[in-house]
Structures are given as structure tokens and as C-alpha cells.
Amino acid sequence: MNKKQVFINYIPEDRVVAEQIRDWLTAEGIVCAMLTEVDSLEAHFRVVAQVEDTIEAKGALVVVLSKAALKSCWLISNAQYSCELAARRPVLVVYQIEDLPQDHPLALYYAQAAVIHASKKVADPSTRLVNTCLLYTSPSPRDRTRSRMPSSA
């Protein structure tokens, strides 16, 4: 059986949150990849390759979204590219760490996303994040080749 995997997409300022997410997911057996440095064009090519590998393996992309992250063209383009690679398959798990304007660039992709608002007073956002990642990286019982979500097969 293939291991469940996600790629955590974040900006350096949100690294502590990304590491916390990685810890939550790895504790549940989900393989996590995350960027380590983004200070060169070569590093960005490695990130794109990791995103492609994750989507090809029927994984998901976790986006740590903050006001500062919305200014990162790399973060936004990685998320958009993931949605394009996945076609209609839900692939984005957006972990929103603060309130954001409703018309931000990733809002267009929310049809392929689960949005978890860490800034809202909800019970244990880590459980919601883990459960969503487990769902988004699980094969569909109906058709493993076309879809992973039971409602979309």
C-alpha cells in the first residue's frame, strides 16, 4: 500500500507553524515533505519537483496561509500548479493562520480545497488538519484510478 504523503508549502516567516503541522501529520503516519531553503532559483525548481511528485503519488498540498504568504508569488504559484496537476481532484489543504481578505488569489481554488481556520475559535484545528489530509490522500473505494474521494467517483 502506498504511504500517504503531503507537501507543506509555506514561507520562511511561517516556518514554526509548518513544523508544527509536519509534527501533527507525521505522528499519524503521513509522510511530509517541506522546503528547507528558498533563497535560489534552483531551490524553487526542487520545490516544484517535490510538488509534482506529491501530486503524482495522489498526495495533497498543505498551504500555510498568512497575510505575508499572500505576497509570495512562489507560494501562490505552487498551490495553483498543484490544482492544475490534480485536475478536479481535491488537493489543497489550506491552513489559514489569520484572517484574510476574501478575494485573495487562492480563493479561486477553494473548490479543490479544504480550508481550516486556525485563527477561529474551533476545537483542535490539528485534528481537522490531520483528518482532512488522511481523507485527501486515501484511495476511493469506487475507482482507485480515477478518484480518491468517495463523493467524486
Side-chain angles (χ1 to χ4, degrees):
M1 179 176 198
N2 292 340
K3 290 190 175 198
K4 299 172 186 316
Q5 69 181 63
V6 301
F7 181 80
I8 302 171
N9 196 22
Y10 66 97
I11 61 170
E13 293 92 327
D14 297 332
R15 180 180 203 89
V16 171
V17 174
E19 289 172 345
Q20 183 180 36
I21 289 169
R22 180 200 57 213
D23 293 347
W24 293 337
L25 296 174
T26 55
E28 296 298 323
I30 298 173
V31 176
C32 297
M34 37 191 303
L35 57 98
T36 54
E37 47 97 12
V38 292
D39 55 357
S40 69
L41 187 57
E42 186 177 308
H44 286 292
F45 286 135
R46 284 193 304 273
V47 168
V48 169
Q50 285 183 313
V51 166
E52 289 171 344
D53 290 347
T54 299
I55 300 306
E56 186 176 313
K58 304 294 186 215
L61 181 77
V62 174
V63 179
V64 179
L65 200 55
S66 62
K67 289 178 183 171
L70 287 177
K71 297 176 185 172
S72 167
C73 62
W74 290 105
L75 182 127
I76 300 299
S77 66
N78 287 342
Q80 292 169 334
Y81 184 52
S82 296
C83 287
E84 291 169 14
L85 286 175
R88 295 182 317 166
R89 175 171 67 85
V91 68
L92 281 184
V93 180
V94 177
Y95 191 76
Q96 189 171 309
I97 59 176
E98 58 189 330
D99 289 333
L100 301 172
Q102 300 223 346
D103 60 348
H104 63 80
L106 280 185
L108 294 172
Y109 293 89
Y110 277 8
Q112 285 179 264
V115 181
I116 298 163
H117 296 273
S119 59
K120 306 290 183 197
K121 294 187 185 323
V122 294
D124 195 10
S126 67
T127 301
R128 292 179 58 215
L129 178 76
V130 168
N131 289 340
T132 302
C133 287
L134 287 170
L135 178 66
Y136 274 25
T137 59
S138 297
S140 169
R142 296 184 188 173
D143 183 353
R144 292 180 187 269
T145 62
R146 296 185 57 192
S147 169
R148 295 170 307 114
M149 300 291 291
S151 63
S152 62

